[in-house]
Amino acid sequence: MTAQDALVEYLLRLGDNALILGHRLSEWCGHSPALEEDLALSNVALDLIGQTQLWLNLAGEIEGRGRDADKLAYLRDARDFRNVLLVEQPNGDFAATMARQFYFDAWHYLLLRGLTGSTEPRIAEIAAKGLKEVTYHLERSQEWVLRLGDGTEESHRRMQNAVDDLWMYTGELFEADEIDQAMVRNGLAPDVATLHEPWLGLVRATIGEATLTLPQAGWAQKGGKRGVHSEHLGYILADLQFLQRAYPNATW
């Protein structure tokens, strides 16, 4: 694999994480527990879709095969997506959505902060823009973990279940393979392994303040970064890609 191939793969991972999580959050539109939350979740989804466009356009430009963000989003099959498994997990109830969001936001914040120091100016520029948005995302999801965990007996029970159920998907966030290693060697991205301790510190402090219990480290689900996904991604893509697949090259 060439350095260019590795960079394209890495950019696809960044773009696909934002795309799939953004789509998941958009599923709450019209179904949120309160109007304010409906607007907030939609705004976070739009932020992530905006970041998707920047990452995937850059991936397509570097790849040089004539694929832009739209083609990469709508015309790839599930095995070609490089998002981590955490972001494709179902929304569940509101507590599950917020637990998933908090786990991801804490990691996303640290990753983008590291990417602002990338030797590739376009990566650093996109990361700096996204970091402002993700800082807000993290504050918001952290607040909900605290409110629900330290809330009623029912909200505490649901948030604890969500924290436990999604924990197995967090290990993949820090799994460094040959793509990640190539990025580190070339000064393009931070070593994801170095993000684990700060992430764990933030998560542990929040979970503790929320009167919740952090699960013990154990077996982790992996494979999304290599294109091995759960059954959920196929349903997401069936919804996401339907219009473009049914009416190729359709425009507004």
Side-chain angles (χ1 to χ4, degrees):
M1 177 178 289
T2 67
Q4 177 177 316
D5 293 337
L7 177 54
V8 171
E9 280 283 309
Y10 189 79
L11 292 170
L12 289 177
R13 291 175 179 181
L14 294 172
D16 290 347
N17 282 336
L19 174 63
I20 300 304
L21 184 57
H23 183 80
R24 270 297 188 221
L25 292 178
S26 75
E27 294 172 348
W28 274 103
C29 187
H31 302 282
S32 299
L35 180 59
E36 185 179 8
E37 275 311 302
D38 212 277
L39 296 172
L41 284 171
S42 296
N43 281 330
V44 173
L46 287 173
D47 286 345
L48 291 170
I49 298 300
Q51 292 175 29
T52 298
Q53 188 173 32
L54 296 173
W55 291 126
L56 293 188
N57 272 333
L58 181 57
E61 178 186 332
I62 293 173
E63 180 188 53
R65 293 170 50 191
R67 298 196 294 179
D68 58 12
D70 286 339
K71 290 180 179 177
L72 288 167
Y74 294 133
L75 299 177
R76 281 183 296 153
D77 293 329
R79 69 179 60 182
D80 298 320
F81 275 74
R82 296 294 184 257
N83 58 277
V84 293
L85 297 176
L86 175 65
V87 299
E88 65 193 46
Q89 297 311 302
N91 286 331
D93 62 19
F94 190 69
T97 292
M98 286 298 107
R100 183 189 62 200
Q101 195 68 30
F102 175 60
Y103 281 153
F104 182 81
D105 287 342
W107 174 81
H108 201 197
Y109 170 81
L110 294 169
L111 178 65
L112 290 182
R113 192 174 66 175
L115 286 172
T116 60
S118 174
T119 55
E120 164 54 70
R122 291 171 293 181
I123 292 179
E125 182 179 344
I126 295 171
K129 180 181 183 305
L131 185 60
K132 296 177 183 176
E133 298 167 343
V134 172
T135 299
Y136 159 72
H137 300 173
L138 175 58
E139 290 175 355
R140 188 174 166 282
S141 60
Q142 188 176 27
E143 180 183 340
W144 270 112
V145 170
L146 292 169
R147 289 176 65 181
L148 295 177
D150 196 20
T152 66
E153 182 177 342
E154 178 67 10
S155 71
H156 177 92
R157 181 186 67 79
R158 291 192 182 197
M159 181 53 78
Q160 184 64 64
N161 287 342
V163 165
D164 293 345
D165 292 344
L166 292 166
W167 181 251
M168 71 174 77
Y169 299 102
T170 61
E172 188 181 21
L173 299 172
F174 308 99
E175 177 191 32
D177 61 10
E178 67 278 10
I179 303 295
D180 298 290
Q181 292 162 4
M183 296 301 101
V184 174
R185 281 197 305 274
N186 296 324
L188 296 169
D191 183 349
V192 287
T194 66
L195 305 182
H196 186 247
E197 279 305 315
W199 177 87
L200 190 59
L202 175 59
V203 169
R204 183 182 286 131
T206 302
I207 293 294
E209 187 177 349
T211 71
L212 298 164
T213 302
L214 195 66
Q216 295 295 316
W219 179 76
Q221 286 273 11
K222 301 176 182 177
K225 292 167 68 172
R226 302 190 305 275
V228 181
H229 295 280
S230 67
E231 70 276 16
H232 306 301
L233 184 62
Y235 290 101
I236 292 173
L237 295 183
D239 184 22
L240 176 70
Q241 297 180 336
F242 168 76
L243 186 64
Q244 188 58 228
R245 297 282 192 179
Y247 304 97
N249 302 317
T251 58
W252 291 103

